[in-house]
Amino acid sequence: MRILSLTAGAAMLALAAPAAAQLRPLVEPPASAEAAQQGVDVFLLNEGSAPVPAQGPAEIETVAKDGTRLRLIVAPDEVLTVQPGAFARLHYRLAAAAPAQAPQPIEVAQAAPPSPSEQDVADSSGTSSGFFDRFRPHEPIYGAFGLNDAGGKLQLSFAFRALGHEDGPSLNFAYTQTMFWALDKPSGPFRATNYSPELFVDLPIDPTATAGLGYRHDSNGLGTSGSIDVNRVFARVSKSFALGDGWSAELAPEAWFYVGRQGIASDLDRYWGFTSLTASIGQQDGIKLSVTGRGNPGTGKGAAEAFLSYPLAAIWSGLPHIYLFGQAFTGYGEALSDYNRRASHARLGIAFTR
């Protein structure tokens, strides 16, 4: 978590106080109104002695670093609880920008929240503790189903920041597991599973771009006779672009080389190639389309996968934050065990992240 300082050139707090007086809002203004299109993080520090709901001001006025006055409004988000001595992060979006004006001098104040406290979660199995704020979505988490041999495709994915800070260099671990459910077969067995752990370093370039360097292992989890184990060292970068009216686009190229043995898939590079490109366009709290392509130009073989999602809460506000989700694939290697077989499938389902 970042530590914020409230200075004349760095931050202004809203005049409105949060619902609970013991919560102090801390905001780090963006560089400009254009940067604010991506949203602004506001931290609520609990200075009391009891947990309280994380409810910040409905509106916050601040001054961007280039002198532009901004009005921020809270974006719909999951209701959180702030433990004593800890702080929560809320997401605000740009409502309007007033004419540029130099920020007025204010008394310099320091706000240095203590190190993040351990967070407790209780359920029927008991209470567990951990630094849950370090977890985040990685690849989409979803369940999608199609006709005939498309079957079901289920994916779980998360990333964990082991070292570093959210706004600086960080060492991360990620894990993705993709399962293919043969619903057209008797008893509906799981016909294939991809296991994909990663270890990578993220290096923020600016508020809209991040570079990464790491190692990824992909395996089908089978024994010696059928094992496919792919080890890659990769470099990638993502860059987002604000398009206005809540719309944004993102490009994420990636390149890699293979290391070590690959089990029975010694020719996998002929089908997977050495590069990929992901492009997406979407609207906050609206529709989003993401397409990923990879391949080997030398062999003319590759694959493309598309995700289309729409938040159900936009249809009816009483629904939870999940997404109506469509997924389509064409090419080689949707399941690692099928790396050298071409297939095309389309599925529809529900996603929890996108």
Side-chain angles (χ1 to χ4, degrees):
M1 287 294 183
R2 66 189 74 178
I3 296 177
L4 303 179
S5 297
L6 303 184
T7 67
M12 289 179 63
L13 293 182
L15 298 178
Q22 65 195 56
L23 292 180
R24 179 193 297 183
L26 308 173
V27 56
E28 184 178 41
S32 63
E34 181 179 355
Q37 295 285 350
Q38 302 298 317
V40 178
D41 289 333
V42 173
F43 294 82
L44 298 179
L45 172 64
N46 186 353
E47 298 180 317
S49 59
V52 294
Q55 296 179 342
E59 294 187 5
I60 286 181
E61 292 184 359
T62 189
V63 176
K65 294 177 182 178
D66 64 358
T68 304
R69 296 185 62 185
L70 307 173
R71 184 167 65 91
L72 309 174
I73 60 176
V74 67
D77 206 347
E78 179 182 1
V79 177
L80 303 174
T81 298
V82 192
Q83 300 296 325
F87 53 92
R89 182 179 64 182
L90 299 183
H91 194 69
Y92 280 67
R93 59 186 176 86
L94 183 64
Q101 176 179 327
Q104 298 299 316
I106 60 173
E107 181 181 358
V108 175
Q110 298 292 327
S115 298
S117 61
E118 188 177 52
Q119 300 175 13
D120 294 333
V121 176
D123 59 19
S124 59
S125 66
T127 300
S128 58
S129 302
F131 296 102
F132 301 113
D133 59 304
R134 295 184 184 178
F135 285 89
R136 66 181 187 275
H138 190 53
E139 297 183 12
I141 298 176
Y142 65 90
F145 304 88
L147 300 175
N148 302 320
D149 64 343
K153 186 176 181 181
L154 312 177
Q155 181 165 286
L156 303 173
S157 184
F158 68 89
F160 175 75
R161 188 176 71 253
L163 296 172
H165 298 279
E166 191 174 22
D167 57 350
S170 61
L171 176 66
N172 303 270
F173 168 78
Y175 178 76
T176 302
Q177 182 169 320
T178 309
M179 297 155 284
F180 298 86
W181 195 357
L183 296 174
D184 59 329
K185 304 294 183 182
S187 78
F190 281 90
R191 67 173 185 84
T193 301
N194 296 347
Y195 305 91
S196 305
E198 296 178 50
L199 186 67
F200 60 95
V201 174
D202 266 351
L203 302 168
I205 300 171
D206 60 40
T208 65
T210 301
L213 179 67
Y215 163 81
R216 174 165 174 148
H217 172 80
D218 295 281
S219 172
N220 62 353
L222 298 182
T224 305
S225 61
S227 176
I228 299 177
D229 299 284
V230 184
N231 301 284
R232 294 178 289 166
V233 174
F234 64 81
R236 61 193 178 202
V237 64
S238 66
K239 172 69 175 179
S240 61
F241 307 87
L243 304 178
D245 293 330
W247 286 88
S248 63
E250 187 173 62
L251 292 176
E254 182 175 345
W256 60 81
F257 63 87
Y258 299 91
V259 294
R261 301 183 60 183
Q262 297 174 188
I264 65 172
S266 58
D267 60 341
L268 183 138
D269 59 288
R270 289 175 49 83
Y271 302 89
W272 275 23
F274 300 88
T275 58
S276 70
L277 176 65
T278 298
S280 65
I281 184 170
Q283 186 177 35
Q284 185 175 7
D285 300 320
I287 195 169
K288 179 180 180 180
L289 172 65
S290 178
V291 179
T292 298
R294 58 167 168 79
N296 187 329
T299 62
K301 302 182 186 300
E305 186 167 30
F307 299 112
L308 183 65
S309 58
Y310 189 78
L312 292 176
I315 302 173
W316 181 37
S317 59
L319 292 174
H321 287 278
I322 58 178
Y323 305 90
L324 182 63
F325 189 79
Q327 178 266 337
F329 178 92
T330 185
Y332 293 87
E334 183 178 25
L336 188 57
S337 299
D338 302 330
Y339 79 95
N340 57 359
R341 289 194 290 272
R342 183 178 181 86
S344 296
H345 295 128
R347 304 177 180 92
L348 184 66
I350 294 294
F352 297 92
T353 66
R354 62 173 181 172

